[in-house]
Amino acid sequence: MKPKYLLTVAAIVGATQVGFAQYSQDALRFSTYQPGSTSRIKGVGGAGTAIGGDLSSVSGNPAGIGFFTRSEFSLTPEFDGSNVKSNYLGSNGKATKSSVNLSDIAAVFYSPINTPRGSNKTEGWLSLNFGIAYDRTNNYYENIQYGGVNGKNSITDYYANDANNNTLNDGSIAGGTLGAWAYGQRLIDYYTSATAYQSNAYLGTNQTSQAIRTGGESELSLSMGANYSNKLYLGFGIGITNLRYNTTNTFGETGTALVTIDDNLGTTADRKYGNTYQQIQDTKGTGFNARFGFIYKPVESVRFGAVITTPTWYTVNDNYDEVMSTDINGFNTVTNRPDEPYQFTYNLTTPLRIAGGLAVFIQQYGFISGDVEYLDYSSAHLSGDYDASNDNNDIRTLYRSTVNAHIGAEARVTPNFFLRGGYGVQGNALADNGSQINTTSGGIGYRNSEFYIDATYSHINGKQTVYPYEVASDSPSALLNKTNNNVYMTIGFRF
């Protein structure tokens, strides 16, 4: 297997200036999780672990479906608006992307447990309800653009380093490597004075980078929840997961290089050049997990609950291609690419997740709810028909455990009209650098005995630092300020 080049060193919530191995970045990307839920739970910041009685429980804390005393169905579409502002070498940039997806579709089927005639209908096992849901748990749709003038180095320095790392005993460069392609395209040469391959480019190059990403993760959940004496609620569920991640990264550089124009005479001259390196990744995967949860009501106004979600065991199919093209003085373009894309299948085990929550209900006027969730990103594990030791070492070294927190409230303004607000923090997964992701949400809702409609707006923001290539301590970096403005609407029916 040939490892894919990760020219752009980046992670979901940030990046550290360390060269990632082959698949450790994707291990983090596919281990992050945004629970699919109804607009109501989105509106209270995702703090739904202890609330119960909402269709989000099917894919969240399955104990919550034990609260239902009628069957129910709901549908939640979403609009996602991504805005990425960048700063690279003092130059600002911006890229946007919008998408419409299905956030959640769910149903719960109420199933009371028959009790002997004359017995107390509020004690013992009262119901065993069943639920099914389809949720979107991650959204990868975004565009990223940045560029600027680099007066310290060139991507051709990166190619030269690759050539030196892949030099054979006879002094030639191993075929099919970036260094070999760059040498054939006259971007680098072997300098006897340095006894190494070096860049031919002069400093002061114009550089641009563009990433186009699509795809997401989804989960089909099958759950059951039981009600014991309207005090204790227990739940169990399984999840069948699916992921799709498509990205095209294009890095371009223009400048002037000292190019050999006559190989026989060794004549050189300054020439304008334009170089483009493109990476295309198409990744698909399927997996499964399980979850166990409970909710307990010590008194009618207080509920606390917890849920444990096992790791998701993924089988991932990766298809990767790369292309390098260079023109000298605007013509004589030379292009290199592999004979066929690199295809590989590997296994990914994501971290275990443990969440706990508390909800306080203020009679009929509403509630306040809070959740915390713990997970250890450094416990993610890769395996397959290759030596994954470097990847797993990077995962253990570069990632860390973190806590996600959510808090929110719902106020009943009239018998049928509700206001909601919430705030959530997704902790930083990186041992160094990186940043947390913050979510602020607000929503409204109308509910009666047969029908309800809820709408929520959420504002998500975080920072990310990316390094388009690495050359010792002078690697250029781009600071990305990412914002998502999302709208959710749920329509539900009871039957």
Side-chain angles (χ1 to χ4, degrees), residues 37 83 112 137 141 176 184 193 257 270 294 411 427 432 444 451 470 494:
S37 63
N83 186 321
T137 57
Y141 281 80
S193 59
D270 290 345
F294 79 89
D432 296 302
I444 58 175
F451 165 84
E470 293 211 350
R494 301 182 179 94

Side-chain angles (χ1 to χ4, degrees), residues 280-325:
I280 305 99
Q281 179 181 348
D282 180 9
T283 302
K284 298 178 181 178
T286 56
F288 66 94
N289 58 44
R291 58 182 65 90
F292 310 85
F294 79 89
I295 297 175
Y296 181 68
K297 294 196 301 184
V299 295
E300 191 62 30
S301 61
V302 177
R303 303 173 185 178
F304 62 85
V307 60
I308 297 176
T309 304
T310 70
T312 299
W313 293 278
Y314 270 116
T315 298
V316 182
N317 299 304
D318 193 73
N319 190 306
Y320 174 80
D321 201 2
E322 57 187 346
V323 184
M324 184 192 293
S325 298

Side-chain angles (χ1 to χ4, degrees), residues 152-295:
K152 292 185 177 180
N153 53 63
S154 160
I155 193 174
T156 58
D157 294 310
Y158 177 85
Y159 300 152
N161 289 342
D162 184 78
N164 291 319
N165 291 332
N166 290 283
T167 301
L168 303 177
N169 291 333
D170 62 0
S172 63
I173 308 169
T177 62
L178 295 185
W181 292 353
Y183 180 77
Q185 296 178 19
R186 301 180 184 270
L187 296 174
I188 64 174
D189 270 314
Y190 186 83
Y191 286 75
T192 56
S193 59
T195 64
Y197 288 93
Q198 291 186 335
S199 166
N200 292 333
Y202 294 104
L203 297 181
T205 60
N206 288 287
Q207 298 178 331
T208 60
S209 180
Q210 180 185 59
I212 300 173
R213 297 172 180 167
T214 61
E217 291 182 70
S218 60
E219 182 175 81
L220 175 65
S221 299
L222 303 171
S223 300
M224 62 177 67
N227 175 356
Y228 185 80
S229 299
N230 293 321
K231 282 279 190 180
L232 177 64
Y233 303 82
L234 302 176
F236 169 76
I238 60 173
I240 302 169
T241 59
N242 179 272
L243 71 85
R244 178 177 61 87
Y245 176 68
N246 307 102
T247 180
T248 299
N249 296 322
T250 305
F251 189 89
E253 180 177 281
T254 59
T256 303
L258 183 64
V259 176
T260 300
I261 59 176
D262 190 318
D263 292 328
N264 294 324
L265 299 176
T267 307
T268 60
D270 290 345
R271 294 289 186 265
K272 299 292 184 181
Y273 73 93
N275 171 255
T276 300
Y277 177 57
Q278 187 173 76
Q279 300 166 290
I280 305 99
Q281 179 181 348
D282 180 9
T283 302
K284 298 178 181 178
T286 56
F288 66 94
N289 58 44
R291 58 182 65 90
F292 310 85
F294 79 89
I295 297 175

